[in-house]
Amino acid sequence: MAKQWTCVEAGCDATITAPDADAAIELAQAHIAEVHDSFELEDMIEAVLVDVTA
Amino acid sequence: MTSDVESKFHFSRALVEGEIYRKYEKAMRKHWTVEDLDFAQDALDWHRISPEQQKGLLGITIRFLAGEQAVTDELVPMLAAAHALRRFDWTMFLATFLVEEAKHAEFFMRWHEAVVGIVDPAEVAPHFLTRGKTIDPTGRFEVRDVMHEALPSYGRILHEAALGGTEREIERAFVQFSAAYNGFVEGVLTMPSYEIVIDTTTQWDAFPTLKQGFKLILADEGRHITFGTSACRLLIEKDPSYEEAVHEVFDAYRGNIVGLVEYQKAVPGLDVGKYQTMKVRHYRNRCREMGVKPDDTLIEQILDPSIDFVVGVEAG
């Protein structure tokens, strides 16, 4: 089952879909760093991942 | 007789496969020690920066030194509640949580000893950024002492419930305490403070071990925060009326969260707006993790540039 993460930074609703949790965490952390000059912890990303059909 | 004997054992396949037990396993795998850190470069950097920079940085680190000691001290009610609710996986995870908070306090004690040369209360206290009562000039918000008022107060309610309350009373008090401790203090209020220190050390190209320590501590905090929010979600799924307890906590301390974190103005050159926007992200995430609806008025107020009074924050 693929994993989806949605950014909830004010004014951003970017959605990332990845084949597994590790890949989703990596992509989400890259998004937060590049777009918002910030960081997000892996446990926090993992806690809100949603199962989606690839 | 069989059930009496069975009650002596807590492990089950479901427990071991559950999300809280997996957090316990991760905490054990990710263990680090303060002894392994080398403070030599930080000590050299301390003498390289200006007195103004020293004052600004110490204002932040001293508050972390106090804050980490406070959160270590305030965790016992959660352990008592986990025991009363017969949630052995929570007790196991909380054992790692407690030792990690103690370790974070140790990190700040060792950093101040090795880098600044201060340890005893009489040595560190003069550097504590004391702020008189913050007054919102518009009179709309009251700023309260979340660390020394909310946590002990909600902790006392939880401890008393754990000792003699009904299951519902313990569960509701757990949600209230966890919303304050993991959701509000650790999960929203403190997050910009960590990032401010990391941004500052990056901007100054100094204090590599302080930065390393903050990153190690943050990884631990990510588990602590999501333990609390996961536990709240499990309890709220069981009884949706507990959601009200989360909103009551955030509403009671609304002034602390809509104001600016003191450090945002203590270190020159930082982007003040970035840390307010970040608070909204963390608030929305904590709500998402707990399965509760965010309060849109709180979000609007955090982002309102006209609300710019400064709030002293003890982080932990």
Side-chain angles (χ1 to χ4, degrees), chain A residues 4-12 25 32 36-50, chain B residues 23 26 30 191 194-195 198 218-219 221-223 225-226 274 277-278 280-282 284-286 288-289 303:
Chain A
Q4 192 171 76
W5 174 84
T6 305
C7 182
V8 290
E9 182 91 6
C12 182
I25 289 166
I32 290 287
H36 304 300
D37 183 29
S38 183
F39 56 79
E40 193 75 296
L41 301 170
E42 66 176 51
D43 289 270
M44 293 175 173
I45 298 166
E46 193 176 13
V48 295
L49 290 177
V50 176
Chain B
K23 282 188 186 297
K26 186 173 181 180
K30 299 280 184 181
M191 295 308 288
Y194 284 107
E195 197 144 337
I198 291 171
L218 263 172
E221 298 293 354
R223 279 191 304 280
I225 292 163
T226 52
K274 168 182 167 181
T277 310
M278 178 192 306
V280 169
R281 182 178 90 231
H282 287 300
R284 282 181 171 151
N285 270 328
R286 299 301 81 79
R288 185 158 65 159
E289 292 155 14
L303 294 174

Short mmCIF file of all heavy atoms in Angstrom, two decimals, chain A residues 4-12 25 32 36-50, chain B residues 23 26 30 191 194-195 198 218-219 221-223 225-226 274 277-278 280-282 284-286 288-289 303:
data_model
loop_
_atom_site.label_atom_id
_atom_site.label_comp_id
_atom_site.label_asym_id
_atom_site.label_seq_id
_atom_site.Cartn_x
_atom_site.Cartn_y
_atom_site.Cartn_z
N GLN A 4 0.67 8.38 1.69
CA GLN A 4 0.48 9.77 1.28
C GLN A 4 0.64 10.69 2.50
O GLN A 4 0.17 10.38 3.59
CB GLN A 4 -0.90 9.95 0.67
CG GLN A 4 -1.07 11.27 -0.04
CD GLN A 4 -2.39 11.30 -0.82
OE1 GLN A 4 -3.45 11.45 -0.25
NE2 GLN A 4 -2.30 11.14 -2.14
N TRP A 5 1.31 11.82 2.26
CA TRP A 5 1.50 12.83 3.30
C TRP A 5 1.10 14.19 2.74
O TRP A 5 1.44 14.50 1.59
CB TRP A 5 2.97 12.86 3.73
CG TRP A 5 3.34 13.95 4.70
CD1 TRP A 5 3.20 13.93 6.06
CD2 TRP A 5 3.92 15.22 4.40
NE1 TRP A 5 3.64 15.09 6.60
CE2 TRP A 5 4.10 15.91 5.62
CE3 TRP A 5 4.30 15.85 3.21
CZ2 TRP A 5 4.64 17.19 5.68
CZ3 TRP A 5 4.84 17.13 3.27
CH2 TRP A 5 5.01 17.78 4.50
N THR A 6 0.38 14.96 3.52
CA THR A 6 -0.05 16.29 3.09
C THR A 6 0.56 17.34 4.00
O THR A 6 0.51 17.21 5.23
CB THR A 6 -1.59 16.41 3.13
OG1 THR A 6 -2.14 15.36 2.35
CG2 THR A 6 -2.05 17.74 2.57
N CYS A 7 1.17 18.36 3.40
CA CYS A 7 1.78 19.45 4.16
C CYS A 7 0.67 20.35 4.73
O CYS A 7 -0.29 20.67 4.01
CB CYS A 7 2.70 20.26 3.25
SG CYS A 7 3.54 21.61 4.12
N VAL A 8 0.80 20.75 5.99
CA VAL A 8 -0.20 21.63 6.59
C VAL A 8 0.38 22.99 6.99
O VAL A 8 -0.19 23.72 7.79
CB VAL A 8 -0.90 20.97 7.82
CG1 VAL A 8 -1.80 19.83 7.38
CG2 VAL A 8 0.12 20.51 8.85
N GLU A 9 1.55 23.32 6.41
CA GLU A 9 2.11 24.66 6.61
C GLU A 9 1.08 25.68 6.11
O GLU A 9 0.37 25.40 5.12
CB GLU A 9 3.42 24.80 5.81
CG GLU A 9 4.12 26.12 5.96
CD GLU A 9 5.15 26.15 7.10
OE1 GLU A 9 5.39 25.10 7.72
OE2 GLU A 9 5.69 27.23 7.36
N ALA A 10 0.98 26.82 6.80
CA ALA A 10 -0.01 27.83 6.38
C ALA A 10 0.19 28.19 4.91
O ALA A 10 1.32 28.50 4.49
CB ALA A 10 0.14 29.08 7.26
N GLY A 11 -0.85 28.11 4.12
CA GLY A 11 -0.79 28.46 2.71
C GLY A 11 -0.25 27.38 1.80
O GLY A 11 -0.03 27.61 0.62
N CYS A 12 -0.02 26.19 2.33
CA CYS A 12 0.54 25.10 1.51
C CYS A 12 -0.34 23.86 1.68
O CYS A 12 -0.73 23.52 2.80
CB CYS A 12 1.96 24.78 1.95
SG CYS A 12 2.76 23.47 0.96
N ILE A 25 8.67 9.64 4.12
CA ILE A 25 9.34 10.47 5.14
C ILE A 25 10.45 11.29 4.48
O ILE A 25 10.58 12.50 4.71
CB ILE A 25 9.88 9.59 6.28
CG1 ILE A 25 8.71 9.06 7.13
CG2 ILE A 25 10.87 10.36 7.16
CD1 ILE A 25 9.08 7.93 8.08
N ILE A 32 9.73 20.05 3.27
CA ILE A 32 9.74 21.03 4.37
C ILE A 32 11.03 21.85 4.34
O ILE A 32 11.03 23.07 4.55
CB ILE A 32 9.57 20.32 5.73
CG1 ILE A 32 8.15 19.76 5.88
CG2 ILE A 32 9.92 21.25 6.89
CD1 ILE A 32 7.07 20.78 6.14
N HIS A 36 9.94 25.31 2.83
CA HIS A 36 9.61 26.09 4.03
C HIS A 36 10.83 26.40 4.91
O HIS A 36 10.66 26.96 6.00
CB HIS A 36 8.54 25.36 4.85
CG HIS A 36 7.30 25.06 4.07
ND1 HIS A 36 6.54 26.04 3.48
CD2 HIS A 36 6.70 23.88 3.73
CE1 HIS A 36 5.52 25.49 2.83
NE2 HIS A 36 5.59 24.18 2.97
N ASP A 37 12.05 26.05 4.44
CA ASP A 37 13.27 26.33 5.20
C ASP A 37 13.12 25.89 6.66
O ASP A 37 13.45 26.63 7.59
CB ASP A 37 13.59 27.83 5.11
CG ASP A 37 14.90 28.18 5.83
OD1 ASP A 37 15.78 27.31 5.89
OD2 ASP A 37 15.01 29.31 6.36
N SER A 38 12.60 24.69 6.84
CA SER A 38 12.34 24.21 8.18
C SER A 38 12.61 22.70 8.21
O SER A 38 13.19 22.16 7.27
CB SER A 38 10.88 24.53 8.55
OG SER A 38 10.60 24.14 9.87
N PHE A 39 12.22 22.05 9.28
CA PHE A 39 12.36 20.59 9.30
C PHE A 39 11.15 19.95 9.97
O PHE A 39 10.44 20.59 10.74
CB PHE A 39 13.65 20.15 9.99
CG PHE A 39 13.81 20.66 11.38
CD1 PHE A 39 13.15 20.05 12.44
CD2 PHE A 39 14.61 21.76 11.64
CE1 PHE A 39 13.29 20.53 13.73
CE2 PHE A 39 14.73 22.25 12.93
CZ PHE A 39 14.09 21.64 13.97
N GLU A 40 10.92 18.70 9.63
CA GLU A 40 9.82 17.93 10.23
C GLU A 40 10.41 16.62 10.69
O GLU A 40 11.19 15.98 9.97
CB GLU A 40 8.74 17.71 9.17
CG GLU A 40 7.42 17.20 9.71
CD GLU A 40 6.59 18.27 10.42
OE1 GLU A 40 7.05 18.77 11.45
OE2 GLU A 40 5.50 18.59 9.94
N LEU A 41 10.06 16.18 11.91
CA LEU A 41 10.64 14.96 12.47
C LEU A 41 9.98 13.71 11.89
O LEU A 41 8.77 13.72 11.60
CB LEU A 41 10.47 14.97 13.99
CG LEU A 41 11.14 16.17 14.67
CD1 LEU A 41 10.74 16.25 16.13
CD2 LEU A 41 12.65 16.08 14.54
N GLU A 42 10.78 12.63 11.76
CA GLU A 42 10.24 11.45 11.08
C GLU A 42 9.04 10.85 11.79
O GLU A 42 8.11 10.38 11.14
CB GLU A 42 11.34 10.39 10.86
CG GLU A 42 11.90 9.76 12.10
CD GLU A 42 12.92 8.65 11.78
OE1 GLU A 42 13.84 8.93 11.00
OE2 GLU A 42 12.76 7.55 12.31
N ASP A 43 9.04 10.88 13.13
CA ASP A 43 7.89 10.31 13.86
C ASP A 43 6.62 11.11 13.58
O ASP A 43 5.53 10.55 13.56
CB ASP A 43 8.18 10.30 15.36
CG ASP A 43 9.22 9.27 15.72
OD1 ASP A 43 8.85 8.13 16.00
OD2 ASP A 43 10.42 9.60 15.68
N MET A 44 6.79 12.41 13.40
CA MET A 44 5.61 13.26 13.14
C MET A 44 5.06 13.02 11.74
O MET A 44 3.85 13.07 11.53
CB MET A 44 5.99 14.72 13.32
CG MET A 44 6.34 15.05 14.76
SD MET A 44 6.91 16.73 14.92
CE MET A 44 7.01 16.86 16.70
N ILE A 45 5.95 12.78 10.80
CA ILE A 45 5.48 12.48 9.44
C ILE A 45 4.81 11.10 9.43
O ILE A 45 3.70 10.93 8.92
CB ILE A 45 6.67 12.51 8.44
CG1 ILE A 45 7.29 13.91 8.41
CG2 ILE A 45 6.22 12.08 7.04
CD1 ILE A 45 8.64 13.98 7.73
N GLU A 46 5.49 10.14 10.06
CA GLU A 46 4.98 8.77 10.09
C GLU A 46 3.58 8.72 10.73
O GLU A 46 2.71 7.95 10.30
CB GLU A 46 5.95 7.88 10.88
CG GLU A 46 5.69 6.40 10.71
CD GLU A 46 6.74 5.56 11.43
OE1 GLU A 46 7.50 6.10 12.24
OE2 GLU A 46 6.78 4.34 11.18
N ALA A 47 3.39 9.56 11.75
CA ALA A 47 2.12 9.52 12.50
C ALA A 47 0.92 9.93 11.66
O ALA A 47 -0.21 9.57 12.00
CB ALA A 47 2.22 10.43 13.73
N VAL A 48 1.15 10.68 10.58
CA VAL A 48 0.00 11.17 9.82
C VAL A 48 -0.03 10.64 8.38
O VAL A 48 -0.79 11.14 7.55
CB VAL A 48 -0.05 12.72 9.81
CG1 VAL A 48 -0.29 13.25 11.22
CG2 VAL A 48 1.22 13.33 9.23
N LEU A 49 0.79 9.62 8.10
CA LEU A 49 0.76 9.03 6.76
C LEU A 49 -0.58 8.32 6.55
O LEU A 49 -1.11 7.69 7.45
CB LEU A 49 1.91 8.03 6.58
CG LEU A 49 3.32 8.62 6.49
CD1 LEU A 49 4.35 7.50 6.38
CD2 LEU A 49 3.45 9.57 5.31
N VAL A 50 -1.07 8.43 5.33
CA VAL A 50 -2.35 7.81 4.99
C VAL A 50 -2.10 6.75 3.92
O VAL A 50 -1.33 6.98 2.98
CB VAL A 50 -3.33 8.89 4.45
CG1 VAL A 50 -4.63 8.27 4.00
CG2 VAL A 50 -3.57 9.95 5.51
N LYS B 23 7.27 2.16 19.32
CA LYS B 23 7.99 3.37 19.74
C LYS B 23 9.00 3.04 20.85
O LYS B 23 10.10 3.60 20.90
CB LYS B 23 7.01 4.43 20.26
CG LYS B 23 6.29 5.17 19.17
CD LYS B 23 5.49 6.33 19.74
CE LYS B 23 4.65 6.97 18.66
NZ LYS B 23 5.48 7.54 17.58
N LYS B 26 11.97 1.47 19.18
CA LYS B 26 12.76 2.50 18.47
C LYS B 26 13.59 3.31 19.46
O LYS B 26 14.77 3.60 19.21
CB LYS B 26 11.82 3.41 17.67
CG LYS B 26 12.55 4.41 16.79
CD LYS B 26 11.57 5.16 15.91
CE LYS B 26 12.28 6.14 15.01
NZ LYS B 26 11.35 6.88 14.14
N LYS B 30 17.63 3.78 19.41
CA LYS B 30 18.20 5.10 19.14
C LYS B 30 18.91 5.71 20.35
O LYS B 30 19.16 6.91 20.38
CB LYS B 30 17.08 6.06 18.70
CG LYS B 30 16.35 5.65 17.43
CD LYS B 30 17.15 6.03 16.21
CE LYS B 30 16.39 5.72 14.93
NZ LYS B 30 17.14 6.06 13.73
N MET B 191 8.70 23.86 19.70
CA MET B 191 9.30 23.54 18.40
C MET B 191 10.03 24.72 17.76
O MET B 191 11.15 24.56 17.26
CB MET B 191 8.25 22.95 17.43
CG MET B 191 7.69 21.61 17.87
SD MET B 191 8.95 20.37 18.24
CE MET B 191 9.54 20.00 16.61
N TYR B 194 13.57 25.17 19.35
CA TYR B 194 14.62 24.28 18.84
C TYR B 194 15.16 24.81 17.52
O TYR B 194 16.36 24.85 17.29
CB TYR B 194 14.06 22.87 18.60
CG TYR B 194 13.84 22.06 19.84
CD1 TYR B 194 12.57 21.82 20.33
CD2 TYR B 194 14.92 21.51 20.52
CE1 TYR B 194 12.37 21.07 21.47
CE2 TYR B 194 14.73 20.76 21.66
CZ TYR B 194 13.45 20.55 22.14
OH TYR B 194 13.26 19.82 23.27
N GLU B 195 14.23 25.19 16.66
CA GLU B 195 14.66 25.62 15.32
C GLU B 195 15.44 26.93 15.38
O GLU B 195 16.37 27.15 14.62
CB GLU B 195 13.43 25.73 14.40
CG GLU B 195 13.82 25.76 12.95
CD GLU B 195 12.86 25.04 12.02
OE1 GLU B 195 12.12 24.15 12.48
OE2 GLU B 195 12.87 25.37 10.83
N ILE B 198 18.98 26.01 16.30
CA ILE B 198 19.67 25.39 15.16
C ILE B 198 19.97 26.45 14.08
O ILE B 198 21.07 26.50 13.53
CB ILE B 198 18.84 24.21 14.60
CG1 ILE B 198 18.86 23.07 15.63
CG2 ILE B 198 19.38 23.73 13.25
CD1 ILE B 198 17.92 21.92 15.35
N LEU B 218 15.76 16.51 19.68
CA LEU B 218 14.55 16.62 18.84
C LEU B 218 14.05 15.27 18.37
O LEU B 218 12.84 15.03 18.33
CB LEU B 218 14.86 17.49 17.62
CG LEU B 218 14.46 18.95 17.72
CD1 LEU B 218 15.00 19.71 16.52
CD2 LEU B 218 12.95 19.12 17.81
N ALA B 219 14.97 14.38 18.01
CA ALA B 219 14.55 13.04 17.56
C ALA B 219 13.81 12.32 18.69
O ALA B 219 12.80 11.64 18.46
CB ALA B 219 15.76 12.24 17.09
N GLU B 221 12.24 13.86 21.15
CA GLU B 221 10.98 14.59 21.36
C GLU B 221 9.92 14.17 20.34
O GLU B 221 8.73 14.16 20.64
CB GLU B 221 11.20 16.11 21.30
CG GLU B 221 12.13 16.67 22.36
CD GLU B 221 11.59 16.58 23.78
OE1 GLU B 221 10.44 16.18 23.96
OE2 GLU B 221 12.35 16.91 24.71
N GLY B 222 10.36 13.88 19.12
CA GLY B 222 9.40 13.43 18.10
C GLY B 222 8.66 12.18 18.56
O GLY B 222 7.45 12.04 18.32
N ARG B 223 9.38 11.28 19.23
CA ARG B 223 8.72 10.07 19.77
C ARG B 223 7.80 10.43 20.93
O ARG B 223 6.70 9.92 21.04
CB ARG B 223 9.76 9.04 20.25
CG ARG B 223 10.37 8.20 19.18
CD ARG B 223 11.19 7.06 19.78
NE ARG B 223 12.23 7.48 20.71
CZ ARG B 223 13.41 7.95 20.35
NH1 ARG B 223 13.71 8.07 19.07
NH2 ARG B 223 14.31 8.31 21.26
N ILE B 225 6.29 13.29 21.67
CA ILE B 225 5.10 14.04 21.23
C ILE B 225 4.10 13.09 20.57
O ILE B 225 2.91 13.11 20.89
CB ILE B 225 5.52 15.17 20.27
CG1 ILE B 225 6.31 16.24 21.03
CG2 ILE B 225 4.30 15.79 19.58
CD1 ILE B 225 7.12 17.18 20.13
N THR B 226 4.59 12.24 19.68
CA THR B 226 3.66 11.37 18.95
C THR B 226 3.17 10.21 19.82
O THR B 226 2.13 9.63 19.52
CB THR B 226 4.27 10.85 17.63
OG1 THR B 226 5.55 10.26 17.91
CG2 THR B 226 4.44 11.98 16.63
N LYS B 274 8.71 33.41 10.20
CA LYS B 274 8.89 31.97 9.94
C LYS B 274 8.42 31.13 11.13
O LYS B 274 7.80 30.09 10.97
CB LYS B 274 10.37 31.70 9.65
CG LYS B 274 10.76 30.24 9.64
CD LYS B 274 12.26 30.06 9.39
CE LYS B 274 12.70 28.63 9.70
NZ LYS B 274 14.13 28.41 9.51
N THR B 277 4.53 31.01 11.51
CA THR B 277 3.95 30.12 10.50
C THR B 277 4.19 28.66 10.91
O THR B 277 3.32 27.81 10.76
CB THR B 277 4.62 30.39 9.13
OG1 THR B 277 4.57 31.78 8.89
CG2 THR B 277 3.92 29.65 8.02
N MET B 278 5.38 28.40 11.45
CA MET B 278 5.74 27.05 11.87
C MET B 278 4.84 26.56 13.00
O MET B 278 4.47 25.40 13.07
CB MET B 278 7.20 27.09 12.33
CG MET B 278 7.73 25.80 12.85
SD MET B 278 9.30 26.08 13.67
CE MET B 278 10.18 26.91 12.39
N VAL B 280 1.78 27.25 13.45
CA VAL B 280 0.51 26.81 12.86
C VAL B 280 0.65 25.39 12.33
O VAL B 280 -0.21 24.53 12.54
CB VAL B 280 0.06 27.78 11.74
CG1 VAL B 280 -1.10 27.19 10.95
CG2 VAL B 280 -0.31 29.13 12.33
N ARG B 281 1.76 25.13 11.64
CA ARG B 281 1.99 23.78 11.09
C ARG B 281 2.01 22.75 12.22
O ARG B 281 1.37 21.70 12.12
CB ARG B 281 3.31 23.74 10.32
CG ARG B 281 3.57 22.37 9.68
CD ARG B 281 4.86 22.37 8.87
NE ARG B 281 6.01 21.98 9.65
CZ ARG B 281 7.15 22.66 9.71
NH1 ARG B 281 7.30 23.79 9.07
NH2 ARG B 281 8.16 22.22 10.43
N HIS B 282 2.72 23.07 13.29
CA HIS B 282 2.81 22.11 14.39
C HIS B 282 1.45 21.94 15.08
O HIS B 282 1.09 20.83 15.46
CB HIS B 282 3.90 22.53 15.38
CG HIS B 282 5.29 22.31 14.83
ND1 HIS B 282 5.74 21.06 14.46
CD2 HIS B 282 6.30 23.17 14.57
CE1 HIS B 282 6.97 21.16 14.00
NE2 HIS B 282 7.34 22.43 14.05
N ARG B 284 -1.53 22.30 13.69
CA ARG B 284 -2.37 21.48 12.80
C ARG B 284 -1.94 20.01 12.84
O ARG B 284 -2.77 19.10 12.82
CB ARG B 284 -2.28 22.00 11.36
CG ARG B 284 -3.11 23.24 11.12
CD ARG B 284 -2.97 23.66 9.67
NE ARG B 284 -3.89 24.72 9.31
CZ ARG B 284 -3.64 25.62 8.37
NH1 ARG B 284 -2.48 25.59 7.71
NH2 ARG B 284 -4.52 26.54 8.07
N ASN B 285 -0.63 19.78 12.88
CA ASN B 285 -0.14 18.39 12.92
C ASN B 285 -0.55 17.69 14.21
O ASN B 285 -0.95 16.53 14.19
CB ASN B 285 1.38 18.36 12.78
CG ASN B 285 1.82 18.25 11.32
OD1 ASN B 285 1.13 17.64 10.51
ND2 ASN B 285 2.95 18.85 10.99
N ARG B 286 -0.44 18.41 15.35
CA ARG B 286 -0.81 17.76 16.62
C ARG B 286 -2.31 17.41 16.58
O ARG B 286 -2.71 16.36 17.04
CB ARG B 286 -0.52 18.67 17.81
CG ARG B 286 0.93 19.10 18.03
CD ARG B 286 1.92 17.99 18.25
NE ARG B 286 2.37 17.36 17.03
CZ ARG B 286 3.30 17.87 16.20
NH1 ARG B 286 3.87 19.01 16.44
NH2 ARG B 286 3.67 17.19 15.12
N ARG B 288 -4.07 16.79 13.93
CA ARG B 288 -4.22 15.68 12.98
C ARG B 288 -3.84 14.37 13.65
O ARG B 288 -4.51 13.36 13.50
CB ARG B 288 -3.31 15.98 11.77
CG ARG B 288 -3.41 15.02 10.64
CD ARG B 288 -2.94 15.63 9.34
NE ARG B 288 -1.53 16.00 9.28
CZ ARG B 288 -0.86 16.16 8.13
NH1 ARG B 288 -1.46 15.98 6.98
NH2 ARG B 288 0.41 16.52 8.15
N GLU B 289 -2.75 14.39 14.43
CA GLU B 289 -2.30 13.16 15.12
C GLU B 289 -3.31 12.72 16.18
O GLU B 289 -3.51 11.52 16.40
CB GLU B 289 -0.94 13.40 15.79
CG GLU B 289 0.21 13.59 14.81
CD GLU B 289 1.37 14.39 15.41
OE1 GLU B 289 1.40 14.58 16.64
OE2 GLU B 289 2.22 14.86 14.64
N LEU B 303 -1.31 33.80 13.20
CA LEU B 303 -0.81 34.41 11.97
C LEU B 303 -1.08 35.92 11.89
O LEU B 303 -0.59 36.58 10.97
CB LEU B 303 -1.44 33.71 10.75
CG LEU B 303 -1.04 32.25 10.54
CD1 LEU B 303 -1.84 31.64 9.40
CD2 LEU B 303 0.46 32.11 10.27
#
